[in-house]
Amino acid sequence: MNSRTLGDLINAFDAKVNQLNMSMCSMPRGSDADAAIQHNLVKINNDVTELSSDIVIMKDELSENRKNVSKFQEMTKQLKEMTEKNQHSLDNLPGCLPKRQISVESERIPLYSLVLPFDTPAQPKIKLKKKVPIVPIVEYLTTAEFDSVPKYIKGRTAYSTVNNLIDQINQVLTAKYQIVHQPKSHRNDFSRKKAEEYRSQENKESKGLFFVVDKDFKDHSSIKMDASTRTLLTILRHCKRIREIRGNGLTRYCVCVVGL
């Protein structure tokens, strides 16, 4: 019958019933009439059997469609979650990313100066520049890291506010260690006193580490060490971006290199 909808099945079945009623009303009584009715009944029974098969097929298709609807609903839910996450990332994207600082360890030496013929007298050794340490930076927090910070620590702090403080810390680090690593012959009276001050901030535990203290923020940034800033520093410490080293009346905020 090739019925594709429930309405098609009902119409086909009604048509067969009407056909049977018309046949019974139009034919005279007798053996021939009974035989004709019997023939129509057999034909209708076959049609009903075919209708039943169509109903079974439609039930199977309906069950399969229900499964597909469940899959589509789950996919829609996942797509909505991904859209919300992407939108959150766009809304909280930092204005700029810090650039890693790369120091040149030595001057390039021409190849011809390293390959000497046998009859050439030895050349004086080339004095290499002193290696300048690379100042590490505090890496930005990811949204996942920020979301993992307990509510009692971050309160109502915004994600962008934390990364803004990181920009300020990196600015202070750069300014401070430019003075520390400046050759002595290039220092003026002010930078010489500052370098001595910065060296005096070190203790045994902080030796070899890069850090800033409260006074550095005051000298090289607009950061105020109030309750809000203390909360931000606690978040950075919780996420292992910095660690504190106390001693000699100072709190040193040391840079933690991510991945080490």
Side-chain angles (χ1 to χ4, degrees), residues 61-113:
E61 291 180 351
L62 181 61
S63 177
E64 185 67 24
N65 288 337
R66 283 175 177 169
K67 292 179 181 179
N68 290 336
V69 168
S70 298
K71 291 180 181 178
F72 292 149
Q73 288 175 340
E74 182 63 26
M75 291 173 64
T76 301
K77 181 181 177 182
Q78 293 176 357
L79 181 60
K80 182 179 179 182
E81 291 176 354
M82 290 176 61
T83 302
E84 290 175 350
K85 289 181 179 179
N86 290 337
Q87 188 61 48
H88 178 76
S89 298
L90 288 174
D91 293 341
N92 295 279
L93 190 65
C96 61
L97 295 176
K99 295 181 180 180
R100 291 185 177 277
Q101 300 179 2
I102 302 175
S103 66
V104 179
E105 296 184 5
S106 62
E107 293 181 336
R108 292 183 179 272
I109 303 174
L111 183 61
Y112 64 80
S113 67

Side-chain angles (χ1 to χ4, degrees), residues 17-29:
V17 172
N18 292 334
Q19 182 181 355
L20 179 60
N21 289 333
M22 291 176 63
S23 298
M24 293 179 66
C25 293
S26 61
M27 297 188 70
R29 294 293 179 183

Side-chain angles (χ1 to χ4, degrees), residues 7 14 26 37 41-42 44 47 59 81 93 96 101 108-109 129 131 135 138 156 168 187 199 211 215 226 240 257:
D14 287 342
S26 61
I37 292 173
L41 287 173
V42 171
I44 289 175
D47 290 341
K59 284 182 176 180
E81 291 176 354
L93 190 65
C96 61
Q101 300 179 2
R108 292 183 179 272
I109 303 174
K129 286 187 176 181
K131 181 178 177 181
V135 180
V138 180
R156 296 182 179 180
Q168 294 276 349
R187 293 176 183 169
R199 294 295 185 189
F211 63 87
K215 190 174 184 301
D226 53 16
K240 293 181 171 46
V257 179

Side-chain angles (χ1 to χ4, degrees), residues 4-23:
R4 302 305 302 169
T5 66
L6 184 59
D8 292 340
L9 290 174
I10 294 174
N11 292 334
F13 189 76
D14 287 342
K16 294 300 179 181
V17 172
N18 292 334
Q19 182 181 355
L20 179 60
N21 289 333
M22 291 176 63
S23 298

